[in-house]
């Protein structure tokens, strides 16, 4: 019961991150602050030390069990690839907005905003759902999950705010905050089959990989390498020794 309560507190924490990100003005500048680059390092470490081994473990479990209902030999990696491709497509669409001349931006692209919101609503819903379904085995894993994903949400918010500006602050951040709570509630009420949960995690993992790398690696972000490296080494060591 304590784990369930802690997972709910984590969901509330994710809500607070989305709502408060508007007021963290150091996130809104280029070159990126050293702190934000350090956050990027933490998120990349989380991908390589936690998410990729988790995908491998899920694939091994599927291969060891009854896979007659699945459509291919390596569904975990395939679905993760689809997740990455979907969010890469959304990023390319977002560049339409960023590359539009400033005069034309007086008339934003509401269709693109709502496509982004639907996609990231689903993304946050899955994070909330898996918060109680998959990451609740022990307090340590839950805490590490919350810490890494909180920093990831801050970077995502910055990218969406850059694309959609006032529309994101007025509507988007509230929708994404609500998505986490709705996902947690659905996870608390009922559980899907183990194979379905595994594939949901795989899709989410592909999206996380793309979203982390797109926020940290592009040259125009002017990230601080040394801050990134410190965050990377610190969190990789933490995940390795805990």
């Amino acid at each position: 019961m304590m784990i369930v309560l802690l997972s709910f507190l984590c969901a509330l924490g994710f809500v607070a991150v989305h709502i408060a990100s508007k007021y963290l003005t150091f996130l809104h500048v280029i070159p990126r602050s050293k702190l934000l680059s350090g956050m990027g390092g933490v998120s990349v470490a989380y991908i390589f030390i936690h998410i990729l081994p988790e995908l491998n473990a899920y694939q091994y479990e599927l291969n060891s069990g009854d896979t007659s209902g699945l459509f291919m030999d390596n569904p975990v990696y395939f679905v993760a690839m689809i997740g990455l491709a979907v969010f890469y497509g959304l990023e390319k669409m977002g560049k339409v907005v960023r590359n539009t001349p400033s005069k034309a931006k007086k008339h934003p692209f509401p269709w693109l905003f709502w496509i982004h919101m639907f996609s990231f609503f689903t993304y946050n819903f899955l994070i909330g759902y898996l918060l109680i379904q998959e990451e609740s085995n022990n307090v340590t894993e839950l805490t590490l999950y919350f810490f890494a994903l909180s920093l990831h949400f801050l970077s995502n918010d910055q990218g969406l705010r850059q694309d959609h500006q006032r529309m994101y602050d007025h509507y988007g951040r509230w929708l994404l905050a609500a998505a986490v709570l709705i996902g947690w509630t659905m996870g608390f009420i009922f559980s899907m089959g183990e194979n379905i949960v595994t594939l949901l995690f795989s899709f989410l993992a592909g999206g996380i990989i793309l979203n982390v790398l797109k926020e940290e690696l592009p040259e125009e972000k002017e990230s601080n390498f040394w801050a990134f490296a410190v965050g990377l080494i610190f969190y990789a060591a933490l995940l390795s020794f805990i």
Side-chain angles (χ1 to χ4, degrees):
M1 189 64 185
M2 184 187 71
I3 292 293
V4 174
L5 177 60
L6 183 58
S7 71
F8 179 66
L9 293 176
C10 288
L12 291 179
F14 288 146
V15 169
V17 167
H18 278 301
I19 294 173
S21 66
K22 173 184 177 181
Y23 306 103
L24 302 178
T25 55
F26 69 90
L27 298 176
H28 308 162
V29 298
I30 293 178
R32 288 158 70 93
S33 70
K34 293 180 180 179
L35 181 58
L36 197 57
S37 291
M39 291 178 182
V42 168
S43 297
V44 171
Y46 185 73
I47 287 174
F48 283 93
I49 306 300
H50 182 83
I51 288 182
L52 294 182
E54 191 95 343
L55 288 176
N56 185 62
Y58 281 142
Q59 185 60 61
Y60 178 80
E61 289 177 7
L62 286 179
N63 289 342
S64 301
D66 178 15
T67 59
S68 58
L70 299 176
F71 52 90
M72 59 176 55
D73 292 334
N74 298 298
V76 166
Y77 298 114
F78 179 81
V79 174
M81 179 186 70
I82 294 300
L84 187 149
V86 166
F87 284 94
Y88 177 69
L90 292 171
E91 169 63 11
K92 296 296 287 185
M93 292 171 67
K95 286 184 177 180
V96 172
V97 173
R98 289 197 292 271
N99 295 333
T100 300
S102 57
K103 290 183 179 180
K105 286 186 179 180
K106 293 179 180 178
H107 304 284
F109 297 83
W111 57 270
L112 180 57
F113 171 77
W114 291 112
I115 289 174
H116 268 161
M117 288 307 98
F118 174 78
S119 302
F120 279 93
F121 186 95
T122 304
Y123 185 87
N124 281 21
F125 175 90
L126 292 177
I127 287 175
Y129 181 83
L130 294 171
L131 181 64
I132 188 170
Q133 286 291 323
E134 283 296 300
E135 296 295 332
S136 56
N137 294 326
N138 62 70
V139 173
T140 300
E141 284 192 9
L142 189 59
T143 302
L144 293 173
Y145 179 81
F146 173 74
F147 180 69
L149 268 293
S150 292
L151 301 185
H152 176 57
F153 278 147
L154 287 174
S155 291
N156 272 359
D157 279 3
Q158 167 59 13
L160 291 168
R161 183 170 289 106
Q162 183 181 1
D163 286 344
H164 303 294
Q165 301 177 15
R166 291 183 179 180
M167 288 188 73
Y168 182 72
D169 283 333
H170 288 171
Y171 307 107
R173 64 193 177 110
W174 299 101
L175 286 171
L176 299 192
V180 177
L181 282 182
I182 294 172
W184 185 93
T185 302
M186 295 297 290
F188 179 76
I189 293 173
F190 68 90
S191 175
M192 303 179 190
E194 184 177 345
N195 286 348
I196 298 298
V197 171
T198 295
L199 296 180
L200 289 176
F201 176 83
S202 303
F203 181 84
L204 176 64
I208 291 175
I209 291 169
L210 188 281
N211 284 309
V212 167
L213 296 180
K214 81 177 178 63
E215 284 300 320
E216 187 56 36
L217 298 184
E219 184 176 350
E220 65 268 18
K221 301 288 185 180
E222 299 182 31
S223 300
N224 185 291
F225 172 76
W226 296 111
F228 172 83
V230 168
L232 181 78
I233 293 169
F234 164 76
Y235 207 66
L238 186 63
L239 289 172
S240 298
F241 290 107
I242 290 182

